[in-house]
Amino acid sequence: MPSEKLYREFQNLERKIQLVLNENKRLKDELNHAKDENGNLKEKMKTHESSLSNFQNQMNINKLANNMVVSEGDSVKLKETIEGYIKEIDKCIAHLAE
């Protein structure tokens, strides 16, 4: 009789150990998934911060251009030139981000 009781306790302990091991594996998988998601979100955040910075720079350049006192013809040329520079800067930033 005592050996049967010990055997049942042993089986019970084995089941509990297996449950703990399964839970440990599940938690490790969940942690790895969370780490991957965290990395992806950090990359998205960097991209958005870069876009925001670029947009703020464009706003500052536009404000400077709007505040400059120039003739109407020169204003159009200046605006086109600045917009060209902004497009080139955007391309450079895009290349650096890759």
Side-chain angles (χ1 to χ4, degrees):
M1 286 268 186
S3 65
E4 281 183 35
K5 185 177 180 181
L6 284 174
Y7 181 72
R8 278 183 295 197
E9 278 196 44
F10 177 73
Q11 284 183 326
N12 190 24
L13 285 173
E14 279 185 326
R15 269 192 303 267
K16 287 181 181 179
I17 289 171
Q18 190 60 42
L19 289 172
V20 169
L21 289 174
N22 290 341
E23 180 68 7
N24 186 36
K25 183 184 180 321
R26 186 189 69 77
L27 290 172
K28 282 182 180 180
D29 291 343
E30 188 177 319
L31 177 62
N32 287 333
H33 176 72
K35 284 180 179 180
D36 290 342
E37 185 177 6
N38 188 27
N40 292 336
L41 291 172
K42 283 182 179 182
E43 286 299 317
K44 281 185 178 180
M45 188 173 78
K46 285 180 185 178
T47 302
H48 289 301
E49 285 175 349
S50 175
S51 296
L52 177 62
S53 176
N54 185 30
F55 179 71
Q56 288 172 336
N57 287 337
Q58 287 179 357
M59 284 181 48
N60 289 337
I61 290 171
N62 285 336
K63 284 179 186 177
L64 287 173
N66 289 336
N67 289 335
M68 294 179 74
V69 178
V70 291
S71 68
E72 187 64 33
D74 290 340
S75 175
V76 172
K77 286 182 183 179
L78 180 62
K79 186 174 180 177
E80 289 173 358
T81 303
I82 290 174
E83 287 175 356
Y85 289 152
I86 291 171
K87 287 179 184 176
E88 287 299 317
I89 290 170
D90 287 342
K91 287 179 187 177
C92 292
I93 290 172
H95 287 296
L96 290 173
E98 292 176 357

